[in-house]
Short mmCIF file of all heavy atoms in Angstrom, two decimals:
data_model
loop_
_atom_site.label_atom_id
_atom_site.label_comp_id
_atom_site.label_asym_id
_atom_site.label_seq_id
_atom_site.Cartn_x
_atom_site.Cartn_y
_atom_site.Cartn_z
N PHE A 12 10.69 -11.88 9.22
CA PHE A 12 10.25 -12.96 10.11
C PHE A 12 9.75 -14.18 9.34
O PHE A 12 9.55 -15.25 9.91
CB PHE A 12 9.17 -12.45 11.06
CG PHE A 12 7.86 -12.12 10.41
CD1 PHE A 12 6.84 -13.05 10.39
CD2 PHE A 12 7.66 -10.89 9.80
CE1 PHE A 12 5.64 -12.75 9.78
CE2 PHE A 12 6.46 -10.57 9.21
CZ PHE A 12 5.45 -11.52 9.19
N LEU A 13 9.50 -14.02 8.03
CA LEU A 13 9.06 -15.15 7.21
C LEU A 13 10.22 -15.92 6.63
O LEU A 13 10.25 -17.15 6.65
CB LEU A 13 8.19 -14.64 6.05
CG LEU A 13 6.84 -14.01 6.42
CD1 LEU A 13 6.20 -13.40 5.19
CD2 LEU A 13 5.92 -15.05 7.03
N ASN A 14 11.21 -15.19 6.12
CA ASN A 14 12.32 -15.86 5.43
C ASN A 14 13.41 -14.83 5.15
O ASN A 14 13.14 -13.64 4.96
CB ASN A 14 11.83 -16.45 4.10
CG ASN A 14 12.87 -17.34 3.45
OD1 ASN A 14 13.74 -17.87 4.14
ND2 ASN A 14 12.80 -17.52 2.15
N THR A 15 14.64 -15.30 5.17
CA THR A 15 15.77 -14.49 4.71
C THR A 15 16.10 -14.95 3.29
O THR A 15 16.28 -16.14 3.05
CB THR A 15 17.00 -14.70 5.60
OG1 THR A 15 16.68 -14.28 6.93
CG2 THR A 15 18.17 -13.87 5.09
N PRO A 16 16.14 -14.05 2.31
CA PRO A 16 16.42 -14.48 0.94
C PRO A 16 17.74 -15.24 0.86
O PRO A 16 18.71 -14.89 1.54
CB PRO A 16 16.51 -13.15 0.16
CG PRO A 16 15.81 -12.15 1.00
CD PRO A 16 16.00 -12.59 2.43
N ALA A 17 17.78 -16.28 0.07
CA ALA A 17 19.03 -17.01 -0.14
C ALA A 17 20.04 -16.10 -0.83
O ALA A 17 19.68 -15.17 -1.55
CB ALA A 17 18.77 -18.26 -0.98
N TYR A 18 21.32 -16.36 -0.58
CA TYR A 18 22.38 -15.53 -1.17
C TYR A 18 22.29 -15.59 -2.69
O TYR A 18 22.21 -16.67 -3.28
CB TYR A 18 23.75 -16.03 -0.70
CG TYR A 18 24.88 -15.14 -1.15
CD1 TYR A 18 25.13 -13.94 -0.52
CD2 TYR A 18 25.69 -15.51 -2.23
CE1 TYR A 18 26.17 -13.11 -0.93
CE2 TYR A 18 26.73 -14.69 -2.65
CZ TYR A 18 26.96 -13.49 -2.00
OH TYR A 18 27.98 -12.67 -2.42
N GLY A 19 22.28 -14.44 -3.32
CA GLY A 19 22.21 -14.37 -4.78
C GLY A 19 20.80 -14.39 -5.32
O GLY A 19 20.61 -14.28 -6.53
N SER A 20 19.79 -14.52 -4.44
CA SER A 20 18.40 -14.48 -4.92
C SER A 20 17.86 -13.06 -4.83
O SER A 20 18.62 -12.12 -4.59
CB SER A 20 17.54 -15.47 -4.11
OG SER A 20 17.46 -15.06 -2.77
N HIS A 21 16.56 -12.91 -4.97
CA HIS A 21 15.97 -11.57 -5.02
C HIS A 21 15.44 -11.17 -3.65
O HIS A 21 14.76 -11.94 -2.98
CB HIS A 21 14.83 -11.54 -6.04
CG HIS A 21 14.17 -10.21 -6.17
ND1 HIS A 21 14.76 -9.14 -6.81
CD2 HIS A 21 12.96 -9.75 -5.72
CE1 HIS A 21 13.95 -8.09 -6.76
NE2 HIS A 21 12.86 -8.43 -6.11
N ASP A 22 15.75 -9.96 -3.25
CA ASP A 22 15.25 -9.38 -1.99
C ASP A 22 14.01 -8.55 -2.32
O ASP A 22 14.11 -7.57 -3.07
CB ASP A 22 16.34 -8.52 -1.37
CG ASP A 22 15.87 -7.76 -0.14
OD1 ASP A 22 14.77 -8.05 0.35
OD2 ASP A 22 16.62 -6.88 0.34
N PRO A 23 12.84 -8.91 -1.77
CA PRO A 23 11.60 -8.19 -2.15
C PRO A 23 11.36 -6.90 -1.37
O PRO A 23 10.29 -6.31 -1.50
CB PRO A 23 10.51 -9.22 -1.80
CG PRO A 23 11.07 -9.95 -0.63
CD PRO A 23 12.57 -10.03 -0.86
N THR A 24 12.35 -6.44 -0.60
CA THR A 24 12.12 -5.29 0.28
C THR A 24 11.65 -4.06 -0.48
O THR A 24 10.67 -3.40 -0.09
CB THR A 24 13.39 -4.95 1.06
OG1 THR A 24 13.78 -6.08 1.85
CG2 THR A 24 13.16 -3.76 1.98
N VAL A 25 12.32 -3.70 -1.57
CA VAL A 25 11.97 -2.47 -2.29
C VAL A 25 10.56 -2.59 -2.87
O VAL A 25 9.77 -1.62 -2.81
CB VAL A 25 13.00 -2.18 -3.40
CG1 VAL A 25 12.52 -1.03 -4.28
CG2 VAL A 25 14.35 -1.83 -2.79
N MET A 26 10.21 -3.75 -3.41
CA MET A 26 8.87 -3.95 -3.94
C MET A 26 7.83 -3.76 -2.83
O MET A 26 6.80 -3.10 -3.01
CB MET A 26 8.73 -5.34 -4.55
CG MET A 26 7.37 -5.63 -5.15
SD MET A 26 7.01 -4.68 -6.64
CE MET A 26 7.93 -5.63 -7.85
N ILE A 27 8.11 -4.34 -1.65
CA ILE A 27 7.19 -4.19 -0.52
C ILE A 27 7.13 -2.74 -0.07
O ILE A 27 6.06 -2.20 0.24
CB ILE A 27 7.62 -5.11 0.64
CG1 ILE A 27 7.40 -6.57 0.26
CG2 ILE A 27 6.85 -4.78 1.92
CD1 ILE A 27 7.91 -7.58 1.27
N ALA A 28 8.30 -2.08 -0.02
CA ALA A 28 8.34 -0.69 0.44
C ALA A 28 7.54 0.24 -0.48
O ALA A 28 6.94 1.20 -0.01
CB ALA A 28 9.80 -0.22 0.53
N ILE A 29 7.55 -0.05 -1.76
CA ILE A 29 6.82 0.80 -2.71
C ILE A 29 5.32 0.49 -2.67
O ILE A 29 4.48 1.40 -2.56
CB ILE A 29 7.35 0.60 -4.14
CG1 ILE A 29 8.79 1.14 -4.26
CG2 ILE A 29 6.44 1.30 -5.15
CD1 ILE A 29 9.44 0.82 -5.58
N PHE A 30 4.98 -0.79 -2.71
CA PHE A 30 3.59 -1.14 -2.97
C PHE A 30 2.77 -1.40 -1.71
O PHE A 30 1.55 -1.20 -1.74
CB PHE A 30 3.52 -2.37 -3.88
CG PHE A 30 3.85 -2.06 -5.31
CD1 PHE A 30 5.11 -2.29 -5.81
CD2 PHE A 30 2.89 -1.49 -6.14
CE1 PHE A 30 5.42 -1.98 -7.13
CE2 PHE A 30 3.19 -1.18 -7.46
CZ PHE A 30 4.46 -1.42 -7.95
N PHE A 31 3.36 -1.83 -0.59
CA PHE A 31 2.53 -2.09 0.58
C PHE A 31 1.83 -0.83 1.07
O PHE A 31 0.61 -0.81 1.24
CB PHE A 31 3.34 -2.74 1.71
CG PHE A 31 2.58 -2.78 3.00
CD1 PHE A 31 1.45 -3.56 3.13
CD2 PHE A 31 2.99 -2.01 4.09
CE1 PHE A 31 0.72 -3.59 4.32
CE2 PHE A 31 2.28 -2.03 5.28
CZ PHE A 31 1.15 -2.82 5.39
N PRO A 32 2.54 0.28 1.34
CA PRO A 32 1.81 1.48 1.78
C PRO A 32 0.88 2.03 0.71
O PRO A 32 -0.18 2.57 1.02
CB PRO A 32 2.93 2.47 2.14
CG PRO A 32 4.14 1.98 1.45
CD PRO A 32 4.00 0.49 1.33
N LEU A 33 1.27 1.88 -0.58
CA LEU A 33 0.39 2.33 -1.66
C LEU A 33 -0.90 1.52 -1.65
O LEU A 33 -2.01 2.09 -1.72
CB LEU A 33 1.10 2.18 -3.01
CG LEU A 33 0.24 2.41 -4.26
CD1 LEU A 33 -0.34 3.81 -4.28
CD2 LEU A 33 1.05 2.14 -5.52
N PHE A 34 -0.78 0.18 -1.57
CA PHE A 34 -1.98 -0.66 -1.53
C PHE A 34 -2.83 -0.35 -0.29
O PHE A 34 -4.06 -0.32 -0.37
CB PHE A 34 -1.58 -2.14 -1.51
CG PHE A 34 -1.05 -2.65 -2.83
CD1 PHE A 34 -0.46 -3.91 -2.93
CD2 PHE A 34 -1.10 -1.88 -3.98
CE1 PHE A 34 0.03 -4.38 -4.13
CE2 PHE A 34 -0.61 -2.35 -5.19
CZ PHE A 34 -0.05 -3.61 -5.26
N PHE A 35 -2.17 -0.15 0.84
CA PHE A 35 -2.91 0.20 2.05
C PHE A 35 -3.69 1.49 1.84
O PHE A 35 -4.86 1.60 2.23
CB PHE A 35 -1.93 0.35 3.22
CG PHE A 35 -2.58 0.80 4.50
CD1 PHE A 35 -3.21 -0.09 5.34
CD2 PHE A 35 -2.55 2.15 4.88
CE1 PHE A 35 -3.83 0.32 6.52
CE2 PHE A 35 -3.15 2.58 6.05
CZ PHE A 35 -3.79 1.66 6.87
N GLY A 36 -3.06 2.47 1.23
CA GLY A 36 -3.74 3.73 0.97
C GLY A 36 -4.92 3.57 0.04
O GLY A 36 -5.98 4.17 0.26
N ILE A 37 -4.77 2.74 -1.00
CA ILE A 37 -5.88 2.49 -1.94
C ILE A 37 -7.05 1.84 -1.22
O ILE A 37 -8.21 2.19 -1.44
CB ILE A 37 -5.40 1.62 -3.11
CG1 ILE A 37 -4.40 2.39 -3.98
CG2 ILE A 37 -6.58 1.15 -3.94
CD1 ILE A 37 -3.73 1.55 -5.04
N VAL A 38 -6.74 0.89 -0.33
CA VAL A 38 -7.80 0.18 0.39
C VAL A 38 -8.48 1.09 1.41
O VAL A 38 -9.70 1.19 1.45
CB VAL A 38 -7.22 -1.07 1.10
CG1 VAL A 38 -8.25 -1.67 2.04
CG2 VAL A 38 -6.78 -2.10 0.09
N VAL A 39 -7.70 1.78 2.24
CA VAL A 39 -8.26 2.61 3.31
C VAL A 39 -8.88 3.87 2.73
O VAL A 39 -10.05 4.17 2.96
CB VAL A 39 -7.19 2.95 4.36
CG1 VAL A 39 -7.74 3.97 5.37
CG2 VAL A 39 -6.73 1.69 5.07
N GLY A 40 -8.09 4.66 2.00
CA GLY A 40 -8.60 5.85 1.32
C GLY A 40 -9.43 6.76 2.19
O GLY A 40 -10.52 7.19 1.79
N ASP A 41 -8.95 7.07 3.38
CA ASP A 41 -9.73 7.89 4.31
C ASP A 41 -8.79 8.82 5.07
O ASP A 41 -7.84 8.36 5.71
CB ASP A 41 -10.50 6.99 5.29
CG ASP A 41 -11.51 7.77 6.11
OD1 ASP A 41 -11.10 8.56 6.97
OD2 ASP A 41 -12.72 7.56 5.88
N ILE A 42 -9.06 10.11 4.98
CA ILE A 42 -8.18 11.09 5.63
C ILE A 42 -8.17 10.90 7.14
O ILE A 42 -7.11 10.95 7.77
CB ILE A 42 -8.63 12.53 5.28
CG1 ILE A 42 -8.56 12.76 3.77
CG2 ILE A 42 -7.78 13.56 6.02
CD1 ILE A 42 -9.20 14.07 3.32
N GLY A 43 -9.33 10.70 7.73
CA GLY A 43 -9.42 10.55 9.18
C GLY A 43 -8.63 9.35 9.68
O GLY A 43 -7.87 9.45 10.65
N ILE A 44 -8.82 8.19 9.04
CA ILE A 44 -8.10 6.99 9.46
C ILE A 44 -6.60 7.18 9.22
O ILE A 44 -5.76 6.75 10.02
CB ILE A 44 -8.63 5.76 8.71
CG1 ILE A 44 -10.10 5.52 9.07
CG2 ILE A 44 -7.80 4.52 9.04
CD1 ILE A 44 -10.76 4.39 8.32
N GLY A 45 -6.25 7.85 8.11
CA GLY A 45 -4.84 8.14 7.85
C GLY A 45 -4.23 8.98 8.96
O GLY A 45 -3.09 8.74 9.39
N LEU A 46 -4.99 9.97 9.45
CA LEU A 46 -4.48 10.81 10.54
C LEU A 46 -4.31 10.00 11.82
O LEU A 46 -3.36 10.22 12.59
CB LEU A 46 -5.43 11.98 10.77
CG LEU A 46 -5.45 13.04 9.67
CD1 LEU A 46 -6.53 14.08 9.94
CD2 LEU A 46 -4.08 13.72 9.54
N LEU A 47 -5.21 9.04 12.08
CA LEU A 47 -5.06 8.18 13.25
C LEU A 47 -3.78 7.35 13.15
O LEU A 47 -3.04 7.19 14.13
CB LEU A 47 -6.27 7.26 13.40
CG LEU A 47 -7.60 7.93 13.78
CD1 LEU A 47 -8.70 6.89 13.87
CD2 LEU A 47 -7.47 8.65 15.10
#
């Protein structure tokens, strides 16, 4: 919804897929909230 990468440029999807949930887990770090 922000931007479609230009043809031949870099698609950040894999970087986001690896690090966004990891960063979220580092920030939240709570079993109960994770279960919710």
Side-chain angles (χ1 to χ4, degrees):
F12 69 96
L13 294 172
N14 190 24
T15 298
Y18 186 77
S20 65
H21 181 74
D22 174 11
T24 300
V25 171
M26 181 69 79
I27 291 174
I29 293 173
F30 285 98
F31 169 66
L33 171 60
F34 288 171
F35 176 82
I37 292 171
V38 170
V39 172
D41 190 290
I42 299 170
I44 297 176
L46 290 174
L47 291 179

